[in-house]
Amino acid sequence: MKFAKLISVAMVATTLGVTTTMLAPSLPAQAKLTKAQKKAKQAKAERKHYTASQWAQVTSYRNQAKKIGTSTKGMYAQKPIVKKKFRAGKLSSSYVNRTVNWINFYRNMVGLSNVTANSEWNTSAQYGAATLAAADKGLSHGLVGIKRPSFISKANWKLGADATLQSNLAEGVTSPYDVVTGYLSDDGNQVSLNPGHRMWLLGAIDKVGVGQAGKYNDLRVFDVDNNQATTTLKKLMFPRAGLMPYGLVKAGAPWAVSYPDDHYVGSTGIKPVISVYDNTAKKKVKVSHIGTGDESYGYYGTTVYFVPKKSQVKVNHSYTVKISNVENQSDISYKTRLFDLKVQGGFY
């Protein structure tokens, strides 16, 4: 992710602006027609890549996304104070709900159940985001390595430290769409290519806590005192078989398969074999950074991850993904097609 930052640590929730509206003068009728004709031509060129049922699903996804929206207007019920004095603040219900709706939009897409926002976790996450914003020294789980500003009490600093130990953390994004899509893309992970942020949001969880202060986000995803899965997991392919939003993978995001049970990290010397083929361009896609991890992000076991060449990942294209030679797991072969969700985010 070019501007936003994320960080992640094992079994500690993983770590990853304002919309301006302009009014232009009306175009002459003839120019409007020309623009409409151009738009129709583009739509026709796009639609040819999809079957009738696929196009109906794309249209449905776009309508759902439009309904959720990307606005940050009225994001605070009480604005945080992070300069000279400290107040964690409180997010508006509309901002929290929009964040949760985006999470559930993507969870439903891959066959997972909904999560809800927990009020106590919201308060915790807000302290995490606000202490990070007040220090403004980047991201850190537990605020390790960050000096406490003198205007923040030790008690409030501890609340922030505790929160960040149980959360995804991001810097540089404010829109719920960009925050959630950034975590799922996981292209800006500062620690590794193992997509921990993604696995938490698409993991065995049933609630979250949402915190945002300025450019800092804290999205709580587990409870360190009750650290266990709350839903049943299945094998997770990313991108998934079928249709997948292009925005989730366009920025150099790692592709992956996560297994819910086995913990394999290649200790036997067996290495995964990955191939990606562009069915649309009829070309083999170069794949690099093949790796494995079993840090239990999202309560998954083994994850095999890899990075297709960014310039070969294209909207509307169909890809065949094959993953083999993973110890104790059967080979995988599936097709995915990347579609434009038509959401104008700040980064995705």
Side-chain angles (χ1 to χ4, degrees):
M1 188 165 152
K2 190 171 182 181
F3 297 107
K5 301 176 183 177
L6 306 89
I7 64 173
S8 58
V9 294
M11 273 316 293
V12 173
T14 42
T15 311
L16 204 313
V18 178
T19 303
T20 301
T21 303
M22 294 179 288
L23 183 64
S26 298
L27 294 171
Q30 185 175 3
K32 283 186 177 180
L33 181 62
T34 302
K35 187 176 181 179
Q37 288 175 331
K38 183 179 180 181
K39 187 175 181 180
K41 184 177 180 181
Q42 291 173 337
K44 184 177 180 180
E46 178 185 35
R47 188 167 181 172
K48 72 178 183 181
H49 295 285
Y50 302 88
T51 65
S53 61
Q54 286 178 329
W55 188 251
Q57 187 63 70
V58 168
T59 301
S60 176
Y61 284 142
R62 287 175 176 174
N63 289 338
Q64 291 176 55
K66 184 178 181 180
K67 184 176 180 180
I68 298 171
T70 62
S71 175
T72 59
K73 184 178 180 180
M75 66 185 291
Y76 297 118
Q78 182 186 64
K79 191 172 182 179
I81 299 174
V82 295
K83 300 292 183 183
K84 297 183 180 180
K85 294 192 298 183
F86 179 78
R87 182 178 71 189
K90 183 178 180 180
L91 292 173
S92 65
S93 59
S94 62
Y95 184 93
V96 172
N97 290 340
R98 185 169 286 115
T99 300
V100 172
N101 287 341
W102 274 116
I103 295 171
N104 288 332
F105 172 77
Y106 289 122
R107 283 179 65 89
N108 293 166
M109 188 177 286
V110 297
L112 294 171
S113 58
N114 285 349
V115 299
T116 58
N118 177 280
S119 59
E120 291 183 4
W121 283 23
N122 286 342
T123 299
S124 170
Q126 190 59 29
Y127 270 94
T131 49
L132 286 169
D136 199 19
K137 296 296 182 182
L139 303 173
S140 171
H141 288 294
L143 303 179
V144 175
I146 299 179
K147 184 179 179 181
R148 175 177 63 88
S150 60
F151 58 87
I152 302 180
S153 70
K154 290 181 180 180
N156 283 339
W157 189 249
K158 185 178 186 305
L159 289 173
D162 290 346
T164 59
L165 280 172
Q166 303 168 93
S167 303
N168 281 356
L169 305 177
E171 176 188 3
V173 286
T174 55
S175 162
Y177 168 75
D178 282 321
V179 167
V180 174
T181 305
Y183 283 138
L184 291 175
S185 175
D186 234 352
D187 59 277
N189 196 326
Q190 294 178 327
V191 176
S192 76
L193 288 172
N194 195 11
H197 308 93
R198 173 194 306 162
M199 291 154 64
W200 275 115
L201 291 196
L202 300 182
I205 63 173
D206 61 5
K207 58 186 175 183
V208 295
V210 184
Q212 185 78 35
K215 64 180 180 179
Y216 288 91
N217 178 267
D218 180 304
L219 187 59
R220 184 168 169 178
V221 289
F222 78 91
D223 185 349
V224 72
D225 294 322
N226 186 27
N227 194 1
Q228 56 186 334
T230 54
T231 61
T232 302
L233 290 174
K234 296 180 180 179
K235 182 167 52 184
L236 174 68
M237 280 94 75
F238 193 98
R240 74 177 187 121
L243 298 171
M244 193 70 169
Y246 174 62
L248 290 172
V249 297
K250 71 177 184 179
W255 295 18
V257 57
S258 298
Y259 303 93
D261 43 21
D262 190 39
H263 285 262
Y264 157 78
V265 290
S267 57
T268 61
I270 298 176
K271 302 296 182 183
V273 176
I274 311 292
S275 72
V276 179
Y277 185 79
D278 185 336
N279 303 307
T280 306
K282 295 181 171 52
K283 290 182 179 180
K284 184 177 180 180
V285 177
K286 184 177 180 180
V287 174
S288 62
H289 299 89
I290 299 173
T292 59
D294 70 339
E295 292 89 345
S296 297
Y297 298 128
Y299 306 104
Y300 284 99
T302 299
T303 290
V304 177
Y305 55 87
F306 53 96
V307 181
K309 188 175 180 180
K310 184 177 177 180
S311 63
Q312 290 186 277
V313 177
K314 299 181 178 180
V315 68
N316 297 321
H317 281 219
S318 166
Y319 297 87
T320 296
V321 181
K322 294 183 178 182
I323 302 170
S324 60
N325 210 40
V326 179
E327 188 174 353
N328 299 329
Q329 300 293 342
S330 58
D331 294 350
I332 297 172
S333 179
Y334 70 94
K335 291 183 180 180
T336 186
R337 186 178 291 278
L338 308 178
F339 72 95
D340 186 355
L341 192 57
K342 299 292 186 182
V343 176
Q344 297 299 316
F347 294 97
Y348 297 96

